[in-house]
């Protein structure tokens, strides 16, 4: 098994400039040139990849599409998929207005954590970050790492991004990885950035640049599963609710 894994942001395939464009570009994962390229690279380098993509709805009567997080194994196979549960509808006074629910079809289930070279990984996407119940469920199912690939707006990211991510790490005593879109995508969309890795004690291990960065960056993090075990042993969270 590979000793490393690559975690990429939400909507890594594209960020559309309009609802119609976003829906029109959605392609079944196994037919997507973007995903096919990642599958080939994963196999070539024996490097599993977590990546956020858009997919058509499986419901023929739906006019919306899916916001998915897929796991590509080191053998280049798509072996896990999570569909975003909570959708981002936002209306800030004198600020951005967005209605993800007009375009995206919400998922219906929390997917069980899957094995990886860095431990058992639990899947969430972006706005799911605001709902701790998902992370707590994933921890109860054995997650060592919880991922939040994202495309946060600068307006919300400046205040909410770090506190929410640290809270999820602390309350689950897990590593939290949040690979984040950054910079200007088109004339309507800009993302906050600040991709980050947080350890089970809630300390920031690595953090990348913010919304003024328009060039991609990569950070490397060593995952210590013994730290997960020891943190949970030192501060046992025995829920009564």
């Amino acid at each position: 098994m590979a000793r490393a894994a690559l975690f990429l942001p939400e909507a890594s395939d594209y960020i559309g400039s309009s609802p119609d464009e976003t829906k029109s570009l959605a392609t079944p994962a196994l037919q997507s040139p973007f995903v096919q390229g990642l599958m080939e690279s994963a196999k070539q380098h024996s490097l599993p990849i977590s990546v956020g993509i858009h997919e058509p709805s499986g419901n023929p009567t739906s006019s919306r599409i899916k916001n998915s997080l897929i796991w590509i194994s080191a053998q280049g196979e798509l072996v896990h998929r999570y569909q975003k549960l909570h959708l981002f509808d936002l209306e800030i006074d004198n600020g951005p207005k967005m209605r993800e629910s007009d375009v995206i079809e919400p998922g219906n289930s929390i997917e069980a954590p899957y094995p990886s070279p860095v431990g058992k990984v639990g899947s969430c996407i972006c706005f799911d970050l605001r709902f701790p119940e998902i992370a707590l469920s994933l921890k109860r199912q054995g997650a060592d790492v919880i991922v939040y690939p994202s495309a946060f707006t600068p307006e919300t990211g400046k205040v909410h991004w770090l506190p929410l991510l640290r809270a999820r790490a602390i309350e689950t005593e897990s590593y939290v990885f949040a690979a984040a879109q950054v910079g200007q995508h088109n004339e309507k969309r800009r993302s906050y950035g600040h991709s980050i890795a947080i350890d089970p004690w809630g300390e920031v291990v690595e953090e990348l640049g913010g919304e003024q960065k328009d060039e991609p960056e990569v950070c490397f993090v060593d995952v210590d599963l013994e730290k997960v075990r020891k943190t949970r042993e030192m501060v046992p969270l025995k829920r009564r609710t």
Side-chain angles (χ1 to χ4, degrees):
M1 177 181 285
R3 295 183 180 180
L6 175 63
F7 294 88
L8 298 174
E10 175 186 25
S12 287
D13 48 355
Y14 63 87
I15 291 183
S17 59
S18 69
D20 287 344
E21 182 181 59
T22 299
K23 289 189 282 189
S24 70
L25 292 174
T27 305
L30 296 180
Q31 298 175 27
S32 163
F34 174 75
V35 174
Q36 290 172 351
L38 290 178
M39 293 171 76
E40 291 173 6
S41 294
K43 184 176 182 179
Q44 179 183 354
H45 300 287
S46 296
L47 179 69
I49 300 171
S50 169
V51 59
I53 62 168
H54 301 86
E55 298 182 281
S57 170
N59 180 355
T61 65
S62 175
S63 63
R64 296 184 290 178
I65 62 175
K66 296 189 290 188
N67 183 334
S68 301
L69 179 62
I70 61 172
W71 176 254
I72 301 170
S73 72
Q75 291 73 43
E77 299 173 347
L78 199 166
V79 296
H80 188 274
R81 178 187 275 103
Y82 165 72
Q83 185 178 348
K84 187 176 185 179
L85 283 174
H86 298 95
L87 304 182
F88 181 51
D89 289 351
L90 171 75
E91 187 168 343
I92 294 179
D93 291 342
N94 301 314
K97 296 176 176 59
M98 298 176 62
R99 285 190 56 83
E100 188 178 28
S101 61
D102 288 344
V103 178
I104 301 298
E105 180 181 283
N108 296 309
S109 61
I110 298 171
E111 300 297 331
Y114 57 85
S116 84
V118 296
K120 294 185 72 175
V121 177
S123 299
C124 301
I125 300 175
C126 200
F127 202 60
D128 289 331
L129 175 59
R130 297 179 182 273
F131 301 88
E133 297 84 358
I134 306 177
L136 293 170
S137 173
L138 291 169
K139 181 201 174 176
R140 288 194 293 269
Q141 296 180 69
D144 303 299
V145 177
I146 299 174
V147 296
Y148 291 96
S150 297
F152 250 60
T153 66
E155 290 79 6
T156 56
K158 289 172 184 175
V159 181
H160 300 161
W161 178 246
L162 182 57
L164 286 169
L165 288 166
R166 291 192 69 195
R168 298 297 84 83
I170 292 166
E171 69 198 4
T172 63
E173 299 176 316
S174 305
Y175 280 93
V176 164
F177 296 162
Q181 294 276 5
V182 64
Q184 194 78 39
H185 307 294
N186 51 58
E187 62 181 18
K188 296 181 180 179
R189 283 292 305 274
R190 188 172 188 88
S191 290
Y192 179 64
H194 292 275
S195 294
I196 198 165
I198 302 172
D199 74 12
W201 195 247
E203 294 182 333
V204 174
V205 179
E206 291 287 348
E207 182 177 4
L208 299 181
E211 68 268 27
Q212 300 306 316
K213 295 283 293 185
D214 286 314
E215 294 296 324
E217 295 180 297
V218 177
C219 69
F220 296 86
V221 176
D222 291 324
V223 175
D224 182 0
L225 294 179
E226 178 62 17
K227 188 166 190 175
V228 177
R229 186 199 65 78
K230 190 170 183 179
T231 300
R232 293 175 180 179
E233 183 180 84
M234 290 191 302
V235 188
L237 301 179
K238 298 179 180 179
R239 298 185 64 83
R240 298 182 63 194
T241 56

